Amino acid sequence: MTSTAGPQLGVAFVPNQPPERLRSFAQAADAAGLDELWVWEDCFKESGIATATAALAFTERIRVGVGLLPVPLRNVALVAMEIATLDRLFPGRFVAGVGHGVQEWMAQVGARVESPMTLLREYAVALRRLLAGEEVTMDGRYVRLDRVRLDWPPNRPPALMLGGAGPKSLELAGRLGDGTLLGAALGDDQVESACRIITAAAEAGSASGAGPHKIVATQIAATGPGAQRRVDAELPRWGQVAGLGIAIAGDARVFAASIRRLAEVGVTSVVIQPTEDEPDLEGLIHFLGSEVRPLLAADQ
């Protein structure tokens, strides 16, 4: 399973950083020539839509994605309105991802559902139809709409990304989405296994036909002095232990080699996630654009 084109290179603005750091971060990513900037909607830190909107306004060309909007927390009609508005304001630059959300957080706000899979399935179908400009009536287990139609749908329905972790969620994402967002802190074998499930489902599925299925993988990474120490300290925050080859620590050649391995198993976009204690966020972004990206471009 090999991707036919070189992977896109992006960076994540993780909400362990205060919102006021976003402007310089986003502008640095734009100036560095990176393909994508991903923001998160983690409870109870920062709004994904508000952050993405600001990042789009702060920049000129970089694509901005939300990974991901938790569907139990957000009414599907509201999300459709938000996606459509951003797509028309910034054509081709906004990428929306939706998923189950962290179940513990959903319980904290009274939004947890008995069947997250059923909710995501109903939600993805309704959201796609709304973004296509259809009038939608649905009486599902969780999603209920009565003759809802957007006044200002996207001029062209944008790709719909779904997030997933377990095999059933990955299969659903591959079948119903135009792309899949993988979780952070996954090893190469875990990514390869996920890609196989997603690709098989996408080939047999009923997505909108917006091109080849996209797979976005996030890699915790650090460069410079103390890089290995910093990624080793970061991994336990994501349920992983050091020494298993997860995350990237090293120079540009180490980064490029890791990104190439992911592309070879089917990943189409690699998003670099800085460690929480990254001492120079803009410096890391400049490194990605000036040193790592040229190595990847040389492969194409």
Side-chain angles (χ1 to χ4, degrees), residues 6 8 15 28 30 37 42-43 66 80 83 113 128 140 164 169 175-176 223 226 228 238 258 268 275 288:
Q8 302 289 288
D30 203 31
L37 165 62
D42 274 6
C43 297
V66 178
I83 293 173
V113 299
R128 186 182 297 285
S169 294
R175 183 161 46 88
L176 294 184
T223 190
Q228 189 65 58
W238 303 93
S258 181
T268 61
T275 60
L288 293 173

Side-chain angles (χ1 to χ4, degrees), residues 51-101:
T51 308
T53 303
L56 287 162
F58 291 151
T59 57
E60 297 293 333
R61 44 141 224 104
I62 196 169
R63 288 189 301 278
V64 177
V66 178
L68 46 76
L69 298 169
V71 300
L73 193 62
R74 288 179 163 273
N75 182 277
V76 67
L78 175 63
V79 168
M81 291 162 57
E82 291 174 325
I83 293 173
T85 300
L86 285 175
D87 187 76
R88 292 181 73 113
L89 286 170
F90 305 97
R93 292 185 55 211
F94 179 57
V95 185
V98 299
H100 302 301

Side-chain angles (χ1 to χ4, degrees), residues 121 124-125 127-129 132 134 157-162 170-180 198-214:
R121 184 182 302 110
V125 170
L127 182 56
R128 186 182 297 285
R129 291 182 62 194
E134 297 180 27
L160 178 61
M161 307 289 290
L162 273 62
L170 293 171
E171 190 276 335
L172 181 68
R175 183 161 46 88
L176 294 184
D178 300 308
T180 302
I198 294 163
T199 301
E203 290 173 350
S206 56
S208 68
H213 194 91
K214 304 171 182 63

Side-chain angles (χ1 to χ4, degrees), residues 107-126:
Q108 282 183 268
V109 298
R112 186 168 184 170
V113 299
E114 184 178 355
S115 177
M117 289 288 292
T118 300
L119 170 57
L120 186 57
R121 184 182 302 110
E122 293 178 355
Y123 200 103
V125 170

Side-chain angles (χ1 to χ4, degrees), residues 251-276:
D251 61 14
R253 294 187 179 279
V254 173
F255 272 66
S258 181
I259 293 167
R260 289 187 192 109
R261 287 197 303 274
L262 295 177
E264 287 170 359
V265 300
V267 170
T268 61
S269 179
V270 177
V271 180
I272 299 301
Q273 177 182 324
T275 60
E276 189 169 345

Side-chain angles (χ1 to χ4, degrees), residues 185-199:
L186 298 179
D188 288 0
D189 290 345
Q190 292 170 299
V191 172
E192 181 173 9
S193 176
C195 287
R196 290 187 184 281
I197 294 170
I198 294 163
T199 301

Side-chain angles (χ1 to χ4, degrees), residues 35-60:
D35 300 298
E36 299 173 346
L37 165 62
W38 285 86
V39 300
W40 297 0
E41 182 159 275
D42 274 6
C43 297
F44 301 94
K45 297 179 179 179
E46 294 166 16
S47 158
I49 290 293
T51 308
T53 303
L56 287 162
F58 291 151
T59 57
E60 297 293 333

